[in-house]
Amino acid sequence: MTITHSLNVFLYSLFPEAEVFGQNPARLVEHLTDFYTFGPYRPTVTIKGEVVEVKIDTKAISSQNAEYNKILQLCEKGQFQQALPRLRQLLAQNPTVSEYHRVLGQVLSETGDQNGAIDALIDALRWDPRNGYALIMLGNIYARHKDDITSANKFYDQALAINPQDFIAINNIGGNLMQLGRAQEAERYFEIAYEIQPKYPNVLYALAMVRQQRRDYTKAFEFALQALRNASSGDPIRRGALALVMQVARQQLEATNTFALADEYQEQLEAATGKEIRVDADERIPTAAKLEVAENYGRAYHQIWFKPSYPAVDHLVMHEMVHLDFMGQARQAGNNLLFTSTGAGKQAFIKAALPQLKKLEKAGYSDANVTGFIESVYEGMMRQLFNAPLDLFIEDFLYQQYEELRPTQFLSLHKLLLEYIESARNKQVATYSPPAVHRANTVLNLVAALHFKDLFGYDLTPEFKASVPDLREAQQLWKEYQEYRVDRQPGEEYELVQHWGKDLGMAAYFELRDEASMRGDLASGRAKTETAATPTEEPNGATSPEDLLAAIERDPLDLDGPVPADARKEPVSYDDSPAGQMAVMFYCLDALKYLAGKTRDQVQEVAFEIGMLGRSGIDPDNRTSKFSLASVPGKSFSSLQLLAWMYTSFQELDPGLDTGLQFAKELALARTMFTEGHG
């Protein structure tokens, strides 16, 4: 088949890319050859006077293409020995096809014949000097098997000259050199590929690895983040990029004194506010970091506490300082607000939660337990409503102003998000929290995840398994935040607190009051029923519902908490009571039978519910009290029976947990009887 074109303006209208070649016939021939190439079959293009002829071997295409594709399939499956004779036969039929020789070179190289592979690849270039794959393969063989980087670079550079825009091939060259430990030579090709396509995730990942080897962790982190941001969900490089982000962030945390950033920032704030800021470690605080505003404690200084054992806590110290910074800016502008809650607001909240309270009471919880739980829910929800919008502005500020802190910031926020996800998907939290509160909590945490995605390119929102309405609500709040984000003025963040409280149905439970007037009222005694809180302070030392639930799981009987005056002082044991041992053993056996075949979540639900009851006190000597469990419907429990069930269920979950119950012998006997009964 022969195609002819007149060498005129019309030809260039058909092939506008070729017009830039001007009067260069050789470049025009190359362009038309590439255009009319079909798979391995390249045409013959010649210019005769004012006519261009393109000869295509359609006979070879129709007769050989099917066999060629079968050979490629064998190679893809690694069946090189089966492919080799068929490939040689194909070459005997048509030795002019460059790609046949190139594939032969690949097969020979894979089977260990590197010298034969070089000969085949040279033949491929004799038939087509512009066969880029053959050039790269030759470079790979000289680099990997001959340890001849000079010759390898000669072929790599020729491939680069033929197609200087093929960033994938260029990146692959760098990858081959990187695998050989030739990071310096590899970086040259990575940089070229990056200049051509700065969003190609593979080259971003490669540049991150190069910077990591140099211990330039800040830059390595940025490249790894870009790779994560640009990799599609199904791209294998995405998983590798995330792992590299985490690894580099930890390396940067270990290698860099990011507390020095906090020291510098602290000095700036002290000068701006005119107050001393003290930053001290304390493992006993309930949260990783905590801010105490001077005015709320009658002090001449602000206090920031942090838990030194907490990962990436230096980021949280910086976070608390930005709270102070923003508060100072709002004060200077005369529009700083305090978050206040009144007794009436709390009562309105409790009234709205009455259906949930009745559900808890019906499940057998004591009045004290129900009251303590709902108060913690209220205070935790109020704290989250106030902090959620402010935290977005704070993290934006830290991200933009402190590039060196970003790896630590990533680790810290990622850890928090994993906790939010656990809370959103935790069945116990969903069961025991009022639905409106659980929804508001989930929505606000989803907004935090959307912000994390915006900053770092990593989307964790699918992990929440949230409903479509909750996700839609979170996206609406996120959109509103973005409108404020561009040019936030001091104190404007409080507007979002008010708007989001209204949107989430929580506006009736709190107020935002002008700080100057509020402190005047407090000083004069006109606001005795109100509680003023700053962003990260813990009103009344309360913990969030999910924190309370986690605490129960860690310490079912509140052994680490304050001991009531009438509390039992010694561990529960029946070593000196055979009858007691027998009773406990049968109760444990009963529990084992019930828990057999249950999932870990179901076992945890039983243990957790008994743990809730245990924190308000279960006296094993009480023979009259009866308990019921929502997780074990239709069954009534005595005090001792309930303790035996709790011990058994927690032992199933974590044998090392100290429940204060010494029922090991009884449980061991029960397990023996259970095994024999099911043998």
Side-chain angles (χ1 to χ4, degrees), residues 180 216 269 356 508 549 609:
L180 295 169
D216 182 0
L269 286 180
Q356 192 70 11
L549 300 179
E609 187 174 2

Side-chain angles (χ1 to χ4, degrees), residues 568 570-585 587 618-623 638-641 643-644 660-666:
R568 188 183 184 99
E570 70 280 356
V572 179
S573 171
Y574 287 91
D575 284 349
D576 58 349
S577 172
Q581 286 182 338
M582 188 66 66
V584 172
M585 186 272 291
Y587 288 149
I618 301 175
D619 182 2
D621 298 329
N622 186 329
R623 301 290 190 266
S638 68
S639 297
L640 183 57
Q641 184 180 12
L643 290 174
L661 302 170
Q662 296 182 357
F663 295 166
K665 295 177 183 177
E666 292 87 340

Side-chain angles (χ1 to χ4, degrees), residues 6 70 126 156 205-206 268 310 320 326 338 363 462 493 532 604 631 679:
S6 296
K70 289 180 182 177
R126 286 169 178 159
Y156 287 151
Y205 180 80
Q268 296 173 7
Y310 194 86
E320 302 305 331
F326 283 6
L338 293 179
E493 55 268 27
Q604 186 177 9
S631 56

Side-chain angles (χ1 to χ4, degrees), residues 2 18 34 52 94 100 166 172 187 222 231 301 337 369 411 456 495 532 547 596 607 628 639 652 654:
T2 301
D34 290 341
V52 180
N94 192 346
Y100 291 175
D166 190 352
N172 290 342
E187 186 177 9
E222 287 302 316
Y301 60 90
L337 302 181
N369 216 337
L411 290 176
F456 297 106
E495 294 180 20
D547 289 342
S628 60
S639 297
E652 292 289 292
D654 181 7

Side-chain angles (χ1 to χ4, degrees), residues 60 69 89 128 168 315 374 416 426 441 502 509 533 555 576:
N69 287 331
Q89 185 177 1
D128 180 11
I168 295 177
H315 157 255
I374 203 64
L416 287 173
N426 188 294
N441 174 264
K502 182 178 179 181
Y509 310 135
D555 185 15
D576 58 349

